[in-house]
Amino acid sequence: MNLAAATNENLAHTSNVLIYSSMAVYTLAFFAHIAEWVFGSRSKVGRTAAALTGAEDAAAPTVKVQVAQKGGGTAVLDRPKIITRSAAGTRDVPDGPGAAGGTFKGDLYGRMAVSMTVLAFLVQAGGVLARALSVQRAPWGNMYEFSITFSTVAVAAYLILLALKKNVRWMGLLLVTTVLLDLGIATTVLYTSSDQLVPALHSYWLWIHVSTAIICGAVFYIGAVATLLYLFRDSYESKLANGVQPGSFAQSVLSRLPAASTLDKFSYRINAAVFPLWTFTIIAGAIWAGDAWGRYWGWDPKEVWSFITWVAYACYLHARATAGWKGRKAAYLALIAFGCWLFNYYGVNIFVTGKHSYAGV
């Protein structure tokens, strides 16, 4: 074995160690997020005291107004804030206090969870980089590499939103859980030893086309998480509006999520923001296919399902923009679109034979 081969083998081993190490740190972040939700769940006495002091008077937000008094003076009084509904049927419900529940201990565990998520992300990114150095190419030449890179980018997108002061920490537990599942499947089922690519993949389009596909998938995933949680929160708010007492799970967990309208708008904006990049991904893939196989479109299963995914998201965005679809109907369509992306990711590669079968498992 020459020196270069030995170096590549050591880098591949280092990559595996870093990926497993990141899983260990993500596990700690998972338990910290669990602690955040547990300690952020205030007792019945605490909720009652907050309600008596008006701290949780969500139904009657107020604004300050100045009124004239006898003798020419003025006084500042509170009056109910008038909220204009953006669409018929929407509810004016404020966001919940978050996973920490507004408690010091819950917030402390939440910050610990975010810190460990950052550390796990850095370790995982190091593993992806070591994998790239071991094969001296882009680290997404097969499903194993795609999976570890995909989850890295998903966590990066989440951390970027946090850095931008967006209220997304409620997503942390579900995100870390999904990342652990993704890495678990990647290391046990999808693992492939470091190797070079087939000739068709030796192109700079590998960096362009596949990297944009990974970014799109990661952002679509975040949009899907928000959409799924929207459905639960919307059901919770509907019960409250109808005078039905939700169960203990809803009171403890769903009451701390952002309002259904907030989650609905967040998922829509996320999906709308990344949709043009998904369009570019398909176009870039067609150009690459023309260079590699002499045709831009050949009805390959991967090409077909990429286009089906594009159509599904286009229908979702079109319905939102023109037909005024909001709420549950739009949410179901968004989840169907993400389901198409997931099948394109797993199902086509594993169960369907085509020109993209080189990726293997």
Side-chain angles (χ1 to χ4, degrees), residues 144-167:
Y144 167 73
E145 295 173 356
F146 191 99
S147 294
I148 61 174
T149 306
F150 165 76
S151 54
T152 304
V153 175
V155 175
Y158 166 72
L159 295 178
I160 288 172
L161 290 173
L162 284 178
L164 294 175
K165 307 299 183 183
K166 302 299 181 180
N167 177 24

Side-chain angles (χ1 to χ4, degrees), residues 34-268:
I34 290 289
E36 177 186 19
W37 282 96
V38 170
F39 288 103
S41 179
R42 287 179 285 182
S43 65
K44 183 177 180 180
V45 174
R47 290 196 302 269
T48 302
L52 290 175
T53 59
E56 293 186 347
D57 189 10
T62 60
V63 293
K64 302 290 185 181
V65 293
Q66 284 189 336
V67 296
Q69 287 183 317
K70 285 186 176 181
T74 61
V76 178
L77 302 177
D78 288 338
R79 70 172 177 83
K81 181 181 179 182
I82 299 175
I83 303 175
T84 302
R85 288 175 169 82
S86 58
T90 58
R91 294 182 292 269
D92 300 321
V93 179
D95 293 346
T103 65
F104 173 79
K105 185 172 288 188
D107 183 66
L108 175 62
Y109 280 106
R111 292 178 183 275
M112 291 171 58
V114 172
S115 298
M116 284 183 281
T117 302
V118 172
L119 177 59
F121 163 75
L122 294 175
V123 175
Q124 185 183 7
V128 173
L129 178 60
R131 178 77 175 197
L133 294 175
S134 70
V135 292
Q136 299 179 2
R137 57 167 172 79
W140 41 74
N142 51 59
M143 284 194 68
Y144 167 73
E145 295 173 356
F146 191 99
S147 294
I148 61 174
T149 306
F150 165 76
S151 54
T152 304
V153 175
V155 175
Y158 166 72
L159 295 178
I160 288 172
L161 290 173
L162 284 178
L164 294 175
K165 307 299 183 183
K166 302 299 181 180
N167 177 24
V168 294
R169 206 165 81 187
W170 44 268
M171 190 186 299
L173 177 59
L174 192 54
L175 173 77
V176 170
T177 304
T178 307
V179 169
L180 283 171
L181 290 173
D182 176 75
L183 292 179
I185 294 173
T187 54
T188 57
V189 179
L190 304 177
Y191 181 77
T192 303
S193 300
S194 300
D195 200 1
Q196 293 305 311
L197 302 174
V198 297
L201 295 183
H202 285 288
S203 170
Y204 59 87
W205 284 106
L206 177 67
W207 290 93
I208 300 172
H209 171 65
V210 184
S211 64
T212 55
I214 292 173
I215 293 172
C216 289
V219 179
F220 281 148
Y221 162 76
I222 288 178
V225 169
T227 301
L228 184 64
L229 293 178
Y230 157 77
L231 292 173
F232 287 104
R233 173 75 188 200
D234 182 67
S235 177
Y236 166 75
E237 292 181 7
S238 295
K239 290 181 179 179
L240 291 179
N242 294 327
V244 178
Q245 182 67 22
S248 58
F249 172 79
Q251 289 286 359
S252 176
V253 176
L254 299 182
S255 63
R256 287 183 275 165
L257 290 175
S261 59
T262 299
L263 291 169
D264 184 43
K265 287 184 289 186
F266 176 79
S267 60
Y268 169 64

